Amino acid sequence: MKGSVTARVAYGLTGQLVVFGAAVVYLVWSADSMFDDISVLKDDLEPATVDLRNLAFELKSFEEMLSAPSDGGLGRVADYMPRARVFDRLRSDSVALRKVARWKGTRAEVRANLDGAAKVLENLVLGDRLVSGVKEVRVLGNFTQPPKNNRDLLRRLLERLNSSLGYRHEEDARLIARELLRVVRITRAAVMRTSRQVLSASRDANDALFRKRSEMSYTVLLVPAGALALAIVVTLLTLRTLRPIRELAMGVRRLALGDYDVSNPPGLTGELKDLAEALDSLARALKARDSDLERKKDELMRAERLALVGRMASVVAHEVRNPLNSIALNVDLLSEMVKSGEKGDENQVEDVLSAVQREVDRLAEITEEYLKFGRLPKGVLAPCDLGRVVNETRLFMEGEFSGAGVVVDVRTPDKPLMVVVDEAQLRQALLNLLRNAVEAMPEGGTITVEAGGRGERAVLSVRDTGPGIPEEFRPRLFEPFATTKQRGTGLGLAFVQQVAHECGGEVVIDSEVGVGTTVRLFLKRAL
């Protein structure tokens, strides 16, 4: 599916909402329809079925009393039959059956049975079949108008029976009883047939309702299951759509770590393609910028080194002058001793030669320090174990520590702590820091060397218990040739800082007068 990520995700979520909404609406509609069907059956069909059955039993009782008429039996018929409201109940039952038959949820065969039953009851109540069957007109009394329908006939017969019994006209009462028996028999037969028909329709309606409820039970399970399956499919498609975003995010993180060889996922479209192209452009721009920065850094370092040449010339001249003067004086002394031809004290000659040798060694040391700083090559950065370098350097300087009365406490991790640095330059920088610490404690003391990791960087700290660095000298700590020692060159910390900058690290110095000094060297950890 083409289009933007936002559009595709929106389409998926919209489809999901539509399916869930349709499922909910369908379930609510099905439940409401089933509840309406149950209401119609319970409120209309079942009461009509029960009433027809009860009415058939009541008519049978009246039929038995009329079959063997007696004054007491006829009196009970005249008394209870009007209360039974036979035709009113039949009329009410026919209305209920018509209502159920017209209900939208009623099946066709049930509707046909109920319509037929309702028609029979309506004809029984409003028809004139029973009226036309009256043989003795005098049982109807002195009414000028004949009965309009069967219900009117039953009402008149009951009134005549009650009147005949009241006036003790036994012959009229028995004649009326025979006519009532005919009406009751025909009515009961019709009611029984209708009751059986309605009962059959009720069973069919209940069976249909049971099947509908079963179907609804399956629907309640299947519709949410289908909606859930669709939701899972939409979720998977959404995750597939968002997968390139995760890959692009990984590319951005690699850029942040300095890896500019970013490969974009294939088949991107829309804003993802634009974002990938922008990421490519950013990688190229950053790579070009870093190359330019590296070139400018090299140019700056060359410029700084050239600037140092002038300072080094003056400092070297100053440093070399005193040893040369001392050598010249001692050579003049030897020259005079040779010219005089006198045999001098051999011890004096040896003292003069020793002084000359010391000054020569001093000149060699000064020259070596300056050459080392001035010709520092560009480091070859590679992963190395910081803990191993620390331990090996400590063993190398063990003699110096013992001779100076210095105790060294080394703390390194058990596992390798890999850093990106030129190992030879790191060893020389650590030697400078340790020798500075030893020279700061002429009466002996303690040096603590600790290596550890802090996130993406490693920290190498060297702490001594010397006198500390004066406050006024701290801003000049990393300046070449700046030193507080009488015979120092002032290049040790400058060399350490240069090594740190070569590998992308930094040097931090904390010092407190009378307590000691801590030098921390921060380096990049190898991935």
Side-chain angles (χ1 to χ4, degrees), residues 14-32:
T14 302
Q16 200 170 349
L17 290 175
V18 169
V19 171
F20 273 110
V24 170
V25 170
Y26 177 75
L27 291 177
V28 171
W29 174 81
S30 299
D32 184 67

Side-chain angles (χ1 to χ4, degrees), residues 406-409 411 430 433-434 437-438 441 445-450 460-466 510-511 515-520:
V406 173
V407 178
V408 179
D409 180 16
R411 304 173 185 175
L430 182 56
L433 294 177
L434 292 173
V438 171
M441 300 181 294
T446 301
I447 298 177
T448 303
V449 183
E450 185 175 0
L460 172 61
S461 65
V462 178
R463 184 170 67 252
D464 63 53
T465 56
D510 296 322
S511 184
V515 177
T517 302
T518 301
V519 181
R520 293 183 178 87

Side-chain angles (χ1 to χ4, degrees), residues 194-211:
T194 304
S195 178
R196 287 192 293 269
Q197 190 174 2
V198 171
L199 183 61
S200 176
S202 178
R203 290 196 189 100
D204 293 340
N206 280 296
D207 290 342
L209 182 61
F210 179 78
R211 287 192 296 272

Side-chain angles (χ1 to χ4, degrees), residues 489-522:
T489 62
L491 298 177
L493 288 178
F495 178 84
V496 173
Q497 186 184 49
Q498 192 169 353
V499 171
H501 286 175
E502 285 283 342
C503 62
E506 63 175 332
V507 183
V508 177
I509 298 179
D510 296 322
S511 184
E512 185 175 351
V513 177
V515 177
T517 302
T518 301
V519 181
R520 293 183 178 87
L521 180 59
F522 293 88

Side-chain angles (χ1 to χ4, degrees), residues 206-489:
N206 280 296
D207 290 342
L209 182 61
F210 179 78
R211 287 192 296 272
K212 188 174 183 179
R213 185 174 61 183
S214 299
E215 292 173 358
M216 172 126 187
S217 299
Y218 290 121
T219 303
V220 168
L221 296 176
L222 292 177
V223 170
L228 180 61
L230 180 61
I232 293 174
V233 171
V234 170
T235 301
L236 294 177
L237 292 177
T238 302
L239 292 176
R240 181 182 177 185
T241 300
L242 297 178
R243 185 185 303 165
I245 296 180
R246 292 194 297 271
E247 297 180 4
L248 291 175
M250 292 177 61
V252 172
R253 284 193 288 270
R254 290 199 299 271
L255 277 180
L257 296 175
D259 181 8
Y260 301 131
D261 295 329
V262 179
S263 59
N264 295 321
L268 297 180
T269 58
E271 66 266 30
L272 288 182
K273 183 178 180 181
D274 297 338
L275 181 59
E277 292 175 352
L279 187 60
D280 271 341
S281 300
L282 177 62
R284 290 193 296 271
L286 289 176
K287 189 173 183 179
R289 187 202 65 177
D290 284 0
S291 299
D292 186 57
L293 287 176
E294 190 69 21
R295 180 181 56 80
K296 290 181 178 179
K297 180 180 177 182
D298 292 340
E299 293 176 355
L300 180 61
M301 291 182 65
R302 286 195 297 270
E304 289 179 349
R305 288 180 180 177
L306 289 174
L308 285 175
V309 169
R311 294 179 60 188
M312 287 180 66
S314 62
V315 172
V316 167
H318 175 74
E319 292 288 339
V320 170
R321 183 182 297 117
N322 291 334
L324 287 177
N325 288 336
S326 178
I327 291 172
L329 290 174
N330 283 287
V331 169
D332 288 341
L333 180 60
L334 285 175
S335 176
E336 290 177 0
M337 292 174 64
V338 171
K339 288 178 180 180
S340 65
E342 298 179 356
K343 293 183 178 180
D345 187 359
E346 294 182 358
N347 290 333
Q348 185 179 5
V349 173
E350 290 180 359
D351 290 341
V352 172
L353 291 176
S354 296
V356 171
Q357 183 64 45
R358 285 197 301 272
E359 296 303 327
V360 171
D361 292 341
R362 172 65 178 158
L363 286 173
E365 181 183 352
I366 293 173
T367 304
E368 182 65 25
E369 288 291 334
Y370 289 153
L371 289 176
K372 186 185 299 181
F373 179 76
R375 295 187 304 183
L376 179 66
K378 184 175 180 63
V380 179
L381 303 182
C384 73
D385 184 4
L386 180 59
R388 178 177 57 81
V389 172
V390 170
N391 289 316
E392 291 177 357
T393 305
R394 179 190 179 281
L395 291 176
F396 176 75
M397 295 185 64
E398 185 65 34
E400 296 183 38
F401 296 144
S402 300
V406 173
V407 178
V408 179
D409 180 16
V410 176
R411 304 173 185 175
T412 57
D414 297 333
K415 297 181 179 179
L417 180 59
M418 305 304 292
V419 294
V420 180
V421 68
D422 185 298
E423 185 172 341
Q425 292 181 3
L426 176 62
R427 289 179 183 273
Q428 185 61 48
L430 182 56
L431 282 172
N432 288 354
L433 294 177
L434 292 173
R435 283 175 177 157
N436 283 348
V438 171
E439 293 173 0
M441 300 181 294
E443 304 298 329
T446 301
I447 298 177
T448 303
V449 183
E450 185 175 0
R454 292 185 183 178
E456 297 181 355
R457 298 201 298 178
V459 183
L460 172 61
S461 65
V462 178
R463 184 170 67 252
D464 63 53
T465 56
I469 302 172
E471 183 72 28
E472 62 274 9
F473 188 75
R474 292 177 189 174
R476 302 178 57 205
L477 284 174
F478 298 108
E479 288 184 10
F481 317 115
T483 180
T484 60
K485 294 179 287 188
Q486 292 181 355
R487 301 190 63 180
T489 62

Side-chain angles (χ1 to χ4, degrees), residues 40 43-44 93-104 106 114-115 118:
V40 168
D43 296 343
D44 296 306
D93 292 340
S94 68
V95 172
L97 296 179
R98 287 290 188 187
K99 180 179 178 181
V100 176
R102 293 189 180 94
W103 177 249
K104 58 184 178 181
T106 303
L114 294 179
D115 279 334

Side-chain angles (χ1 to χ4, degrees), residues 29-56:
W29 174 81
S30 299
D32 184 67
S33 177
M34 188 176 68
F35 289 148
D36 288 343
D37 292 344
I38 293 174
S39 176
V40 168
L41 293 179
K42 296 295 183 182
D43 296 343
D44 296 306
L45 183 58
E46 289 188 5
T49 304
V50 172
D51 186 59
L52 288 174
R53 186 171 61 250
N54 293 336
L55 188 58

